[in-house]
């Protein structure tokens, strides 16, 4: 298998700074609760949280791994839930990629039941052509084609997550 760079480190970091500036404009005051969906979003969370100029709380949620536990009803199994209460909070769900939309469609609805002030989604990558369930993402880094991507948090059998760029994994 060979790696072909799809989005360079520089483009990723530039786009994250743009998104962070937009977030700073959109949320006038108060603490922003950043909810990272493990594992893929860990680098996006780390870079986005440090690019925004406001107070943040960070928390992490772990859900069942890709494709395995997703039922046709769109229910997603939660392996590790949040530690903090979201009541009255401005919540931003931080994801690496929106694919079918099943995960974020479910999680957005779930977190809204916890009486937050607001819930929005920030996703670095969006494979819009794959959508099965609607997701209203306020912040999207890049729309990408339906190719197998790794790097910047995304894996193939747990490998390649630490690449600084997003790459397409393709046969040689
Ligand atoms: C990926 C990604 C999202 C989900 C998106 O996670 O981080 O959580 O899949 O897919 P969907 O839109 O089709 O629901 P994955 O299950 O690969 O877990 P990981 O982040 O731990 O690698």
């Amino acid at each position: 298998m060979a790696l072909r760079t799809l989005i360079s480190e520089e483009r990723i970091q530039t786009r994250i700074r743009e998104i962070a500036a937009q977030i700073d404009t959109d949320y006038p005051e108060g603490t922003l609760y950043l909810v990272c969906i493990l594992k893929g979003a860990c680098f996006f969370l780390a870079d986005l949280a440090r690019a925004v100029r406001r107070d943040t709380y960070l928390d992490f949620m772990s859900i069942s791994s890709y494709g395995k536990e997703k039922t046709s009803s769109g229910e997603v199994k939660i392996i590790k839930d949040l530690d903090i209460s979201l009541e009255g909070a401005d919540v931003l769900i931080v994801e690496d990629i929106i694919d079918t939309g099943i995960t974020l469609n479910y999680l957005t609805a779930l977190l809204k039941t916890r009486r937050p002030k607001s819930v929005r989604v920030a996703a670095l990558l969006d494979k819009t052509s794959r959508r099965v369930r609607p997701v209203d993402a306020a912040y999207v880094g890049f729309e990408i084609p339906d190719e197998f991507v790794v790097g910047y948090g995304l894996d193939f059998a747990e490998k390649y997550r630490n690449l600084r760029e997003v790459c397409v994994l393709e046969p040689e």
Side-chain angles (χ1 to χ4, degrees):
M1 301 292 274
L3 295 170
R4 168 170 59 84
T5 300
L6 184 67
I7 310 169
S8 69
E9 178 182 8
E10 190 186 351
R11 283 182 69 208
I12 292 170
Q13 296 302 330
T14 300
R15 186 75 187 106
I16 289 174
R17 283 195 293 274
E18 289 171 0
I19 291 171
Q22 189 64 53
I23 288 170
D24 282 334
T25 306
D26 291 350
Y27 294 90
E29 58 187 23
T31 302
L32 186 60
Y33 286 54
L34 297 176
V35 170
C36 173
I37 311 304
L38 295 170
K39 298 176 189 172
C42 65
F43 297 107
F44 184 37
L45 173 87
D47 287 338
L48 185 66
R50 290 177 297 174
V52 294
R53 289 274 161 258
R54 58 172 42 258
D55 291 338
T56 59
Y57 290 157
L58 311 182
D59 205 352
F60 300 85
M61 198 172 216
S62 182
I63 56 162
S64 54
S65 64
Y66 188 78
K68 284 184 198 151
E69 306 281 345
K70 282 175 197 165
T71 66
S72 52
S73 68
E75 193 165 328
V76 175
K77 196 169 157 201
I78 293 170
I79 309 295
K80 184 217 168 287
D81 207 333
L82 300 173
D83 298 326
I84 53 178
S85 162
L86 300 182
E87 194 163 343
D90 283 315
V91 177
L92 186 59
I93 304 174
V94 179
E95 259 290 23
D96 52 347
I97 189 165
I98 314 173
D99 187 12
T100 63
I102 289 174
T103 304
L104 276 170
N105 181 283
Y106 179 81
L107 286 180
T108 305
L110 175 73
L111 297 190
K112 278 182 180 167
T113 66
R114 300 182 181 183
R115 309 210 303 168
K117 188 167 151 201
S118 67
V119 178
R120 286 183 182 164
V121 169
L124 183 71
L125 307 174
D126 189 354
K127 276 188 188 174
T128 46
S129 64
R130 294 260 307 159
R131 201 73 90 249
V132 172
R133 304 258 160 155
V135 175
D136 182 18
Y139 310 100
V140 170
F142 303 92
E143 278 192 24
I144 60 167
D146 184 15
E147 295 186 283
F148 197 92
V149 285
V150 295
Y152 200 74
L154 294 145
D155 73 307
F156 172 60
E158 295 300 325
K159 200 174 162 189
Y160 304 117
R161 288 195 199 273
N162 64 327
L163 297 178
R164 289 167 178 264
E165 53 283 296
V166 172
C167 297
V168 176
L169 190 61
E170 51 193 15
E172 304 220 31

